[in-house]
Amino acid sequence: MNFEEMLEQREVKKTSKIRMPYGYFYKRLTGGKYSNFVQFHDELTEDIFFGHCVKAECEAVASIDHKTQLHFSTNDEDDGVFAIAVEVGNYQTLEQLLNDNPAIVARNEFMDSTLKSLFDITSLLNERGIYHVCYAPSNILMRKNDNSVRLLCHGSFYKKVDVDLLYEGVEDYIAPEVFDRGEIDSRTDVYSLGKLISYLYHSAGMPFELKPIVAKATDADPDKRFVSVEDLEAAINKARTLKRTGILAAAALAIALTIVGLFFYMLPSPENMEYVKPVDEPVPDEMIEEDMDALLGIGADADSATIAQVVQQQQHLKDSIGVSEGKMREYKAKAEEIFRKQFTKAAESIISKVYNKDQMNSSEKDFTINAQKMTNELVFKKDELMKSTAISADRAEAIADKIIEQLTEKKKAEMDKDYYGIKKQKK
C-alpha cells in the first residue's frame, strides 16, 4: 500500500457513512476537497434495470433549478453504476437530525418550513411527472447550517427495480400500490407525506385538527386520499387557520377574565352591615338595554338591593375590561416573565434526563425512547404553564422554543466532544 492509499484509507475511516434506503451517503476527500457520494447497496447494483434508472434520473433532474433538488453525476464501472457524486454541501438525514436534537419538532418554524419545502418541491416534481414515493426520515437530507430540506433519488424512476430491495426498512412510508405494482402518481406522494407528518408529530403529539387530514392522506385506497399535494397542503393550512382563530379568542377571554379577577381582588372589602339600606335609584337605562340577561337571571322576587348589587357588578366588569393598553402590556409582560422562569426551571430538569453522558452512550433505541419522553414532558409543561399564566399559545411556544434551544446547546457543550447525538457502539 503506497502513501496515497494510506491517506485515502485513513480518511474513509474518519468519515462515517449514513444509511439511506438505496445506499450509504458519505464524504470523501478527493484532491484536497471533500465531496459527497452515495454508494449504492450491492443488491441494487446487481439489478439489471438499476443502472439505467439512475442515469435516467440524473438526466431528468439536471434541468430542475430548485434549491431543494440535489444534482449528481454517476460513477460507472463495467458492471454498471455503483455510486453517484452529489453536489457540494454539508448534509445529514432528517433521521440523524431528530436523533441528535429531538426537541426541534417542538419549534413551529422548523415544522412549518420543513413541510412547506417538501410541499413546494413535490408540487414541482409532480408537474413534471416525477414522484418521490418515499418520504422516510432516512430518505430526506437536511443542510446542516440551516436545516433546510434537500431531496435525492426519486422513486418513480425506479419502477422496474425490485421494490422490496429498494425500500427495505422503510416500508411503512410507501403506499400500498407501489408494492402491488399499481399506478404511481401524486396520491402516492400524498400517502408518504402523510406518514412523515405522523412521524414528526409522534413524540410531540399530533394536533387534533391534523388527525383527520393525516388519516385521509394515508388511506390504503388511493381514491380516498387527497388528489394532489396542493390539496393536502390547503387542508392543513385551513385547519391551522381555524385553530389559530380559536386560540386568539380563547386567549383574549382568558386575559379579560384575569384582569376582571385582579380588579375585584383589589377592591376594598365591603363593611358588614346588619341592615341593607333600600336603593332609591332606578336601574340605569343602559343596563336595561345591554344587560337584560343579567337582570332576568336574578328572579322575579328580587328586591331593589339585590338588583342594585347586580348593576354594580356589571358596571365593575365593564370598567375592568376598559383597562388601558399600557396596563394590559404590563400584565402580559408579568405573565410572560412568570412563564419564562417556571418553564426554564422545569425544562432544565427534563432535558438533563436525556442530555447526559450515560444516556448519550446508550443504544440508539433507548436514546430515541427517552428523547420522545423528554419532548412529551416539555410540551406538556409548556401547555400547563401557558394555561396557568394566561399567555397566548404563540408567545408560550416562542418563549419555550428559545429556552429549549439554549438549554439543549448548553447541555451538548458540557459533554464530551466525542458525543454527537448517539455515541457509536463498540464493535
Side-chain angles (χ1 to χ4, degrees), residues 128-147:
R128 301 191 177 204
I130 301 172
Y131 307 101
H132 192 60
V133 179
C134 178
Y135 289 90
S138 60
N139 199 34
I140 298 173
L141 291 170
M142 310 291 287
R143 197 167 70 166
K144 285 190 175 181
N145 65 335
D146 59 2
N147 293 329

Side-chain angles (χ1 to χ4, degrees), residues 40-305:
F40 294 121
H41 297 311
D42 293 339
E43 298 85 351
L44 289 175
T45 59
E46 294 172 359
D47 190 298
I48 59 173
F49 298 108
F50 185 75
H52 299 291
C53 296
V54 176
K55 291 180 179 180
E57 181 183 14
C58 179
E59 183 179 349
V61 301
S63 61
I64 298 178
D65 186 16
H66 193 282
K67 66 177 183 179
T68 306
Q69 174 64 58
L70 287 175
H71 301 95
F72 61 90
S73 59
T74 59
N75 284 15
D76 303 352
E77 285 186 345
D78 294 337
D79 296 335
V81 178
F82 70 94
I84 55 175
V86 184
E87 66 180 75
V88 176
N90 196 9
Y91 308 111
Q92 62 181 334
T93 63
L94 175 59
E95 184 177 51
Q96 274 188 304
L97 174 61
L98 296 180
N99 281 338
D100 182 50
N101 186 12
I104 197 172
V105 297
R107 303 178 191 172
N108 276 345
E109 68 275 9
F110 171 78
M111 299 288 276
D112 292 344
S113 62
T114 299
L115 292 178
K116 178 62 177 173
S117 296
L118 289 172
F119 289 145
D120 287 348
I121 184 60
T122 304
S123 296
L124 175 62
L125 292 171
N126 289 177
E127 288 176 1
R128 301 191 177 204
I130 301 172
Y131 307 101
H132 192 60
V133 179
C134 178
Y135 289 90
S138 60
N139 199 34
I140 298 173
L141 291 170
M142 310 291 287
R143 197 167 70 166
K144 285 190 175 181
N145 65 335
D146 59 2
N147 293 329
S148 57
V149 172
R150 296 293 186 273
L151 290 185
L152 186 67
C153 293
H154 306 300
S156 58
F157 287 101
Y158 302 88
K159 295 178 182 178
K160 296 181 179 180
V161 179
D162 186 341
V163 292
D164 292 322
L165 288 177
L166 188 62
Y167 300 119
E168 183 180 1
V170 293
E171 294 88 351
D172 289 346
Y173 295 89
I174 310 301
E177 63 266 21
V178 177
F179 294 104
D180 295 337
R181 293 293 183 177
E183 181 182 1
I184 294 177
D185 56 23
S186 57
R187 295 171 299 178
T188 306
D189 280 350
V190 165
Y191 181 95
S192 191
L193 282 168
K195 287 292 187 178
L196 175 66
I197 294 172
S198 180
Y199 172 83
L200 290 175
Y201 281 107
H202 175 70
S203 58
M206 184 181 297
F208 178 79
E209 69 276 6
L210 292 185
K211 290 183 178 180
I213 296 175
V214 171
K216 180 176 180 179
T218 56
D219 197 294
D221 185 353
D223 293 333
K224 295 181 180 179
R225 299 176 204 152
F226 294 99
V227 176
S228 66
V229 173
E230 292 89 345
D231 289 348
L232 171 60
E233 182 180 16
I236 292 175
N237 290 338
K238 181 179 179 181
R240 285 177 171 174
T241 300
L242 291 174
K243 179 186 178 183
R244 192 175 297 114
T245 302
I247 288 175
L248 289 175
L253 177 60
I255 293 174
L257 292 174
T258 301
I259 295 172
V260 170
L262 289 172
F263 180 86
F264 282 112
Y265 178 77
M266 291 185 293
L267 286 177
S269 300
E271 297 181 3
N272 294 324
M273 300 179 64
E274 186 174 354
Y275 298 101
V276 178
K277 182 180 179 181
V279 178
D280 298 328
E281 295 83 355
V283 178
D285 292 339
E286 63 271 17
M287 179 73 176
I288 296 176
E289 294 174 0
E290 299 177 9
D291 300 302
M292 182 59 71
D293 290 341
L295 292 175
L296 293 175
I298 64 176
D301 298 330
D303 57 19
S304 59

